[in-house]
Amino acid sequence: MGAVIYLLEEGGVLVENNKKISGARVMIECLLEQGVDTIFGYPGGQIMPFYDALYDANIRHILTVHEQGAIHAAEGYAKATGKVGVCVATSGPGATNLVTGLANAHMDSVPLVAITGQVPCALLGRDAFQEVDIIGISMPITKHNFLVKDPAKLADTIRQAFYIAKSGRPGPVLIDIPKDVQVAEIDFVPGELKEPYILYVSPLRTP
Amino acid sequence: MKMSGAQAIMACLLEQQVDTVFGYPGGTVLPIYDALKDAPLQHILTVHEQGAAHAADGYARASGKTGVCIATSGPGATNLVTGLAAAFMDSVPVVAITGQVSTGLIGRDAFQEIDITGITMPITKHNFKVKSSDKLVDVLRQAFRIAHRGRPGPVLVDVPRDIQTAAVEFVPEKQTEKKVWYPTDKLVQRIGQAAETINTANQPVIVIGGGVIIAKAHREVKRLAEKHGIPVVSTLMGLGAFPASNPLFLGLTGMHGHKEANNAIHNADVIIAIGCRFSDRVTGDRKQYSEGKTVIHIDIDPAEINKNVAAHIGLAGEIRQILQVLTDGVKPGRQEAWWQKITVWQEEYQTIYETEELTAPWIMKTIAEKTKGQNYLFATDVGQHQMWAAQHLKMEVPRTWLTSGGLGAMGFGLPAAVGAQLAMPDKRVIHIAGDGGFKMTGNELYTVATHELPIISVIINNNMLGMIHQLQHVLCDKKYTACKLPPQLDFAAYARAFGIQAASVHTPQQFSGALEKFMAVRQPGLIVANITEDDMVTPMISPGMAINNYVNL
């Protein structure tokens, strides 16, 4: 068995409008890029900017009664359609309420992207209100997870998350996005994630 | 004495004087449930493991004992996660026992297998996976010790099924004398410095947090405050640690705190923080919070001192003993000029309650008046109603206010009320929830009904996720989204479906009538209080702003 390294290429499409958009708008644009038309979720303080951007977006949002309902709904959606299911929750209890669904999707190899809000980067680790280490918690039960601390990496992280969720053996991917990253102004370059270069090194044969 | 692992678990629980456990069975805990059948323990079957975890939490908060919950492996364990995180954030002693697949199957992605020790690592004080049967008894004893000693917290013990059925040697533990903590000479010196700082302060303020309740230090706080006439403000978790009727008490401090309390903090020259961890909800802008002030921070957890707010004098240790020494060093007296300022604020910011229409502040004031002097506990959910309850209920003694402060978990209220009612059968729990949070764990009404728990639930119904609506009103230019909850659920009919009497009220008179009626009988009841959707919680400080920077609503 060798090491597998993923290399990313910059999205290559030139964009006419060079205006910066907020991280939340970037999240919406990336979801639309992926062909997402329905998401399941429950709002909260640290995912507020995303919901604000969702207000003007052409994505159907289903408000459930509990985040566990949202993630099981996303799973059901994914199992029935073969597409990647998407659910959104706030930080802290919103994220922990997703745990059973993430474990479920992980065990049954269901393609899922779970987006959770997180406290602003400056508050990370200070036991802030509704702060929880969801990256640590979901590590055993996700195919992969991301904490986006650099707004410039937000778009590619979302694209990579969808790729990981649906490629090979599908599985749930969690993206934890701090509130200040959701409001940061970002140079957004629309585009697809090109097929990542996979560098496979086997000890048995020379490359 | 030789017995099975499951029987040893029961023996350990009884040794720890546990009388109630909350849980939900499953394949990998069948041996435990089998042993539970014969043990003199009350087992409360909830509707969801989240209910079991919150119930164990509420039980612990109300009684001061360690709450215990049991769940099966896999989804049973993951369903406990939110409850454990809530207990962790509020330092509540809970022991969670989860089943696990047999040791030979671990790591093979077995049915209902999950790495719960990995998952709960960030949200438990400690966790254990018992891999050999001779360690089981020691692990359980250690789990309880860790859960309630020092700064309490949740501890998870993962017990594989074959360990539960294996033969285990149980020897009753010898009771050792509990050592009492006393401050060292060096610490006594530091406490002396703190006393001097207080003696020379012109505008001192005491902030109390949940730690005062955990430490049972409410009498010491009262002694200190009264000796020197120091005004006292409380965080959300500290309510009840200082009697609300005491003239020194200024109220709730923080994002939705009373203006006189926040003003006192903002204008203070010395802040004495006792059992408080300076959460971002309490401080607002951290730099401006302590600018130009001397902070004396007293807490059992040294990690909290200098974490969020720089402390000039940090005193780490048991609050009771520290306060005893501190009060001896503080001179009797009172800062009259300071109190003159405070009295002006108290008169200016007195709440005027709306009496024509049904509003939440009035509801809380009415509940406070009608339960005055009687043995009532209040368990709330999370949201606008939680803030209104914190602002307008009057807590006089510790362990009467149960709320998810640190994690802010919606759905906490009802199962916590279940746990609290079972912990304190001579008292009565009033559960206050919003329509959003209530729907999250409302099914636990089934548990309330089956055990005939005399819990009175009050749903503050505005057909909305009120706090989201308020935040969108203030921060998102009134672009309301994902916060309207269409009135598709008849809450009163829902309660009646469980056999619980219910009333839906729209006016203050109707509310008073319903509350009196339900308080008169020792049975569960539910009141749906319909309020207008435009009500906002005031005062409000925008998240991250300075503590005197109020939002104009």
Side-chain angles (χ1 to χ4, degrees):
Chain A
M1 285 295 282
V4 177
I5 305 163
Y6 291 90
L7 294 174
L8 298 175
E9 250 204 358
E10 286 287 334
V13 179
L14 281 172
V15 61
E16 281 178 58
N17 186 358
N18 270 345
K19 229 169 50 176
K20 285 189 197 241
I21 56 174
S22 72
R25 275 283 312 280
V26 168
M27 289 159 75
I28 301 283
E29 294 297 326
C30 288
L31 290 177
L32 291 168
E33 266 176 15
Q34 298 292 333
V36 171
D37 53 50
T38 309
I39 61 176
F40 305 87
Y42 204 96
Q46 307 304 340
I47 194 74
M48 195 73 82
F50 174 77
Y51 272 86
D52 195 36
L54 195 58
Y55 187 88
D56 304 306
N58 199 11
I59 296 177
R60 186 179 181 196
H61 173 265
I62 306 292
L63 176 66
T64 56
V65 154
H66 191 292
E67 288 89 353
Q68 187 176 2
I71 193 166
H72 285 322
E75 285 181 85
Y77 182 93
K79 286 191 190 208
T81 61
K83 293 161 73 171
V84 176
V86 180
C87 62
V88 180
T90 190
S91 63
T96 54
N97 279 346
L98 295 177
V99 164
T100 298
L102 289 171
N104 198 38
H106 190 236
M107 294 288 272
D108 288 345
S109 308
V110 180
L112 196 79
V113 166
I115 295 171
T116 54
Q118 180 58 279
V119 302
C121 292
L123 284 176
L124 281 170
R126 292 186 176 277
D127 301 327
F129 178 61
Q130 294 196 329
E131 178 197 353
V132 122
D133 175 16
I134 193 61
I135 296 296
I137 290 173
S138 62
M139 211 164 281
I141 47 168
T142 45
K143 187 172 172 188
H144 194 64
N145 61 26
F146 297 94
L147 168 64
V148 184
K149 292 211 290 195
D150 181 0
K153 298 205 171 89
L154 180 59
D156 272 339
T157 304
I158 299 175
R159 292 167 184 143
Q160 195 178 6
F162 273 85
Y163 181 84
I164 295 172
K166 64 186 171 202
S167 65
R169 178 178 182 175
V173 178
L174 182 134
I175 317 173
D176 201 25
I177 308 178
K179 194 176 183 185
D180 50 346
V181 174
Q182 292 172 44
V183 300
E185 297 289 303
I186 300 172
D187 276 314
F188 176 66
V189 183
E192 284 166 29
L193 184 73
K194 294 240 168 59
E195 194 74 23
Y197 287 62
I198 300 172
L199 187 63
Y200 183 79
V201 178
S202 162
L204 297 175
R205 33 159 230 216
T206 46
Chain B
M1 216 176 97
K2 272 238 178 293
M3 53 178 77
S4 76
Q7 289 167 329
I9 293 174
M10 293 304 122
C12 287
L13 291 179
L14 291 165
E15 195 179 56
Q16 299 291 333
Q17 282 148 16
V18 172
D19 53 48
T20 311
V21 302
F22 304 88
Y24 205 94
T28 53
V29 281
L30 281 180
I32 291 182
Y33 272 83
D34 199 36
L36 197 55
K37 198 166 37 77
D38 306 311
L41 284 170
Q42 187 184 29
H43 172 266
I44 306 293
L45 177 65
T46 55
V47 154
H48 191 287
E49 288 90 351
Q50 185 179 359
H54 287 321
D57 186 329
Y59 181 96
R61 286 177 202 240
S63 64
K65 294 158 70 173
T66 303
V68 179
C69 57
I70 302 175
T72 190
S73 62
T78 54
N79 279 346
L80 293 176
V81 164
T82 298
L84 293 174
F88 184 63
M89 294 292 272
D90 290 338
S91 307
V92 181
V94 166
V95 167
I97 299 171
T98 53
Q100 180 58 277
V101 300
S102 296
T103 47
L105 284 174
I106 292 178
R108 293 183 177 279
D109 299 326
F111 177 64
Q112 293 196 331
E113 177 201 350
I114 211 91
D115 176 16
I116 194 62
T117 45
I119 290 173
T120 56
M121 214 166 278
I123 47 159
T124 45
K125 188 173 170 185
H126 194 64
N127 62 26
F128 298 92
K129 186 189 234 76
V130 184
K131 290 210 253 187
S132 68
S133 52
D134 54 355
K135 299 230 165 56
L136 177 63
V137 175
D138 275 334
V139 159
L140 275 161
R141 287 176 178 149
Q142 210 180 346
F144 275 88
R145 265 201 293 274
I146 295 172
H148 74 252
R149 280 207 192 151
R151 179 179 185 174
V155 178
L156 182 132
V157 181
D158 199 30
V159 188
R161 201 182 190 285
D162 53 342
I163 306 286
Q164 294 170 35
T165 49
V168 161
E169 182 69 35
F170 178 82
V171 177
E173 196 179 34
K174 257 203 304 259
Q175 287 302 317
T176 49
E177 217 183 85
K178 270 205 200 111
K179 275 194 269 198
V180 183
W181 179 89
Y182 285 109
T184 58
D185 288 336
K186 197 164 167 203
L187 187 57
V188 169
Q189 222 179 14
R190 291 287 280 163
I191 299 173
Q193 285 175 342
E196 256 324 288
T197 312
I198 299 173
N199 286 333
T200 53
N202 290 319
Q203 305 189 153
V205 166
I206 291 176
V207 190
I208 50 169
V212 174
I213 298 175
I214 296 171
K216 302 194 188 71
H218 48 285
R219 291 187 198 90
E220 282 76 10
V221 168
K222 192 158 175 278
R223 233 186 100 219
L224 172 66
E226 287 181 342
K227 187 172 184 188
H228 201 71
I230 310 173
V232 177
V233 305
S234 174
T235 66
L236 185 69
M237 295 304 295
L239 291 172
F242 196 81
S245 56
N246 190 306
L248 295 173
F249 188 63
L250 302 187
L252 178 73
T253 183
M255 186 172 163
H256 289 289
H258 295 116
K259 279 190 174 166
E260 55 268 39
N262 283 343
N263 278 9
I265 291 277
H266 189 76
N267 290 285
D269 57 358
V270 174
I271 297 178
I272 307 144
I274 310 175
C276 149
R277 62 182 177 86
F278 288 123
S279 147
D280 60 304
R281 292 286 129 145
V282 162
T283 62
D285 184 323
R286 277 184 294 119
K287 259 209 310 259
Q288 290 189 54
Y289 188 79
S290 56
E291 219 167 17
K293 302 179 181 53
T294 306
V295 175
I296 301 169
H297 196 171
I298 307 171
D299 199 281
I300 194 167
D301 187 354
E304 289 297 340
I305 297 174
N306 282 323
K307 184 187 87 182
N308 280 335
V309 168
H312 298 85
I313 303 175
L315 307 167
E318 288 277 358
I319 296 174
R320 282 182 76 182
Q321 283 85 309
I322 292 178
L323 286 180
Q324 277 162 8
V325 179
L326 183 64
T327 312
D328 289 340
V330 164
K331 294 200 204 79
R334 196 179 150 95
Q335 311 306 314
E336 281 311 329
W338 182 216
W339 273 103
Q340 273 174 16
K341 277 192 205 168
I342 292 174
T343 313
V344 169
W345 292 327
Q346 282 178 309
E347 280 160 17
E348 190 182 337
Y349 302 127
Q350 224 175 38
T351 321
I352 303 162
Y353 292 95
E354 165 71 53
T355 47
E356 294 296 312
E357 279 177 26
L358 190 60
T359 60
W362 180 89
I363 290 172
M364 302 304 162
K365 176 180 88 93
T366 308
I367 293 175
E369 283 169 356
K370 291 201 192 293
T371 58
K372 194 167 171 177
Q374 300 167 62
N375 281 332
Y376 276 89
L377 307 173
F378 305 100
T380 76
D381 210 273
V382 170
Q384 285 185 317
H385 69 278
Q386 180 191 29
M387 294 296 108
W388 280 316
Q391 291 172 338
H392 301 286
L393 287 176
K394 304 280 175 231
M395 265 67 67
E396 296 289 321
V397 289
R399 301 196 182 277
T400 48
W401 167 252
L402 315 167
T403 194
S404 175
L407 188 68
M410 285 174 72
F412 172 81
L414 184 56
V418 166
Q421 185 65 75
L422 284 158
M424 317 297 276
D426 301 327
K427 301 194 180 182
R428 236 180 134 177
V429 181
I430 294 188
H431 158 236
I432 304 168
D435 50 305
F438 179 80
K439 290 211 284 282
M440 281 212 178
T441 51
N443 278 341
E444 295 295 343
L445 282 181
Y446 181 79
T447 317
V448 172
T450 42
H451 295 277
E452 288 170 50
L453 303 173
I455 298 170
I456 300 174
S457 292
V458 177
I459 302 179
I460 307 293
N461 182 29
N462 53 4
N463 292 309
M464 269 206 318
L465 295 177
M467 194 51 97
I468 302 295
H469 185 257
Q470 178 159 348
L471 288 170
Q472 287 172 341
H473 182 95
V474 171
L475 303 170
C476 300
D477 224 15
K478 301 188 188 161
K479 280 160 74 185
Y480 304 124
T481 178
C483 62
K484 299 252 192 277
L485 302 176
Q488 211 56 27
L489 175 60
D490 181 349
F491 291 98
Y494 181 68
R496 285 184 205 115
F498 295 97
I500 294 173
Q501 53 179 347
S504 188
V505 302
H506 300 265
T507 67
Q509 294 83 358
Q510 286 175 348
F511 179 79
S512 295
L515 184 61
E516 277 166 20
K517 194 175 86 162
F518 290 157
M519 279 173 69
V521 280
R522 237 187 132 71
Q523 275 169 38
L526 186 133
I527 305 173
V528 188
N530 297 288
I531 64 169
T532 168
E533 65 176 44
D534 298 318
D535 282 347
M536 303 276 161
V537 182
T538 57
M540 175 181 175
I541 293 163
S542 207
M545 295 290 120
I547 206 173
N548 67 337
N549 188 346
Y550 299 109
V551 172
N552 199 357
L553 279 164

